[in-house]
Amino acid sequence: MNKSKINLHEDLPFGTYPPRPSVNEMTSKFYTAEHDICDGQVKLLRTKQSGHVWQMRCWISSEKKYVKKSLRTKDFEEAQSKGRKLYYSMMGKLDSGQKLFTISSSELVEKYLQMQQDRVDGGFITQQRRSTIITQLNHFMDFVGKDRKMDTITRERYKDYYLFRRRKKPDVKVPTLLNERSTIGHIYKWSLEQGYITQDRLPVLSELKVSNIG
């Protein structure tokens, strides 16, 4: 071994750790400016990558997540105004029971099926009934897309549901479609109660007639 080799931090006493930058020092390397608004609930930020465009960040304790959005302005006064408006808008949604972070159709189905499992455990429905619901909701996810965010699905989208099912399975029966419509309606009603969607997202299905499903 080369004894002339210099070890990193060899001048430190045994058991002593090298100095580390503080959180503020590390933060300053990434953020070029920080300002608090709304009594410290919101932080306005600029990063080296954002090109001096202001962003806002705030912690949503009820959902245990940070909201971080670009304010699309380089002007500080305008950023403060936009940040406050956005913050109070978000607080208004939370106060009305809405969620800020939308979920996908597959995430919603997972939560809904857990609720139905609780009903099975409580003796309100049978496991066979829950299995039927799973099959119906698989058709639902196939129709809207498993990764589709629930707040991006327009209510008019469902006017094509029966046609979609007819193309997938030409011999699908009217009672089957009626039962699927009932389950879709119920998961949406439950989703509204849980705050995952808003009233304007409730589905509107076309009138079901024997003549338009074959």
Side-chain angles (χ1 to χ4, degrees):
M1 180 181 295
N2 186 358
K3 294 184 179 180
S4 64
K5 182 179 179 180
I6 299 176
N7 293 322
L8 188 63
H9 305 305
E10 65 177 2
D11 57 328
L12 291 175
F14 181 75
T16 303
Y17 293 98
R20 299 178 61 186
S22 67
V23 174
N24 289 336
E25 289 174 334
M26 290 189 291
T27 300
S28 65
K29 293 180 180 179
F30 183 74
Y31 297 115
T32 58
E34 297 182 36
H35 293 277
D36 290 336
I37 60 173
C38 301
D39 297 324
Q41 297 300 312
V42 178
K43 189 176 289 292
L44 300 183
L45 306 164
R46 285 198 305 193
T47 68
K48 295 178 181 179
Q49 290 79 8
S50 69
H52 301 295
V53 173
W54 286 100
Q55 301 173 355
M56 68 160 287
R57 185 185 70 190
C58 67
W59 173 253
I60 306 300
S61 58
S62 61
E63 301 188 43
K64 296 180 173 58
K65 291 182 180 180
Y66 275 106
V67 168
K68 188 174 182 181
K69 293 181 178 291
S70 172
L71 298 174
R72 302 182 182 279
T73 181
K74 296 181 180 180
D75 182 78
F76 179 57
E77 297 297 327
E78 186 178 3
Q80 290 184 89
S81 176
K82 286 186 172 183
R84 290 191 182 98
K85 288 181 180 178
L86 188 55
Y87 173 72
Y88 293 128
S89 174
M90 291 189 298
M91 292 304 102
K93 289 181 179 180
L94 291 174
D95 288 343
S96 65
Q98 297 181 42
K99 304 287 186 183
L100 293 183
F101 297 93
T102 185
I103 60 177
S104 66
S105 63
S106 59
E107 290 171 330
L108 176 62
V109 167
E110 181 180 357
K111 293 177 182 296
Y112 181 78
L113 290 177
Q114 181 57 58
M115 180 274 292
Q116 293 292 7
Q117 184 60 53
D118 292 340
R119 296 184 69 206
V120 171
D121 297 340
F124 296 100
I125 63 172
T126 65
Q127 191 65 56
Q128 183 178 1
R129 171 57 185 156
R130 183 176 181 274
S131 296
T132 300
I133 292 173
I134 291 175
T135 300
Q136 294 168 337
L137 292 179
N138 282 337
H139 295 313
F140 159 72
M141 289 189 291
D142 193 22
F143 176 67
V144 300
K146 291 184 177 181
D147 297 325
R148 186 71 179 267
K149 296 297 184 180
M150 292 301 298
D151 66 346
T152 67
I153 306 173
T154 62
R155 59 192 313 175
E156 291 78 14
R157 175 79 173 85
Y158 289 91
K159 290 182 178 180
D160 296 328
Y161 181 76
Y162 299 138
L163 180 60
F164 167 82
R165 290 286 288 119
R166 180 68 177 83
R167 287 172 176 170
K168 285 282 186 176
K169 188 177 181 181
D171 61 345
V172 63
K173 304 299 182 182
V174 172
T176 299
L177 293 176
L178 288 173
N179 289 332
E180 290 175 12
R181 179 175 69 182
S182 176
T183 296
I184 291 174
H186 190 266
I187 193 175
Y188 261 87
K189 179 182 177 182
W190 182 81
S191 180
L192 180 63
E193 292 171 351
Q194 300 301 311
Y196 295 125
I197 62 167
T198 52
Q199 185 80 27
D200 62 344
R201 296 297 167 177
L202 293 177
V204 176
L205 282 80
S206 59
E207 187 176 359
L208 184 60
K209 297 179 181 179
V210 175
S211 59
N212 66 17
I213 63 169

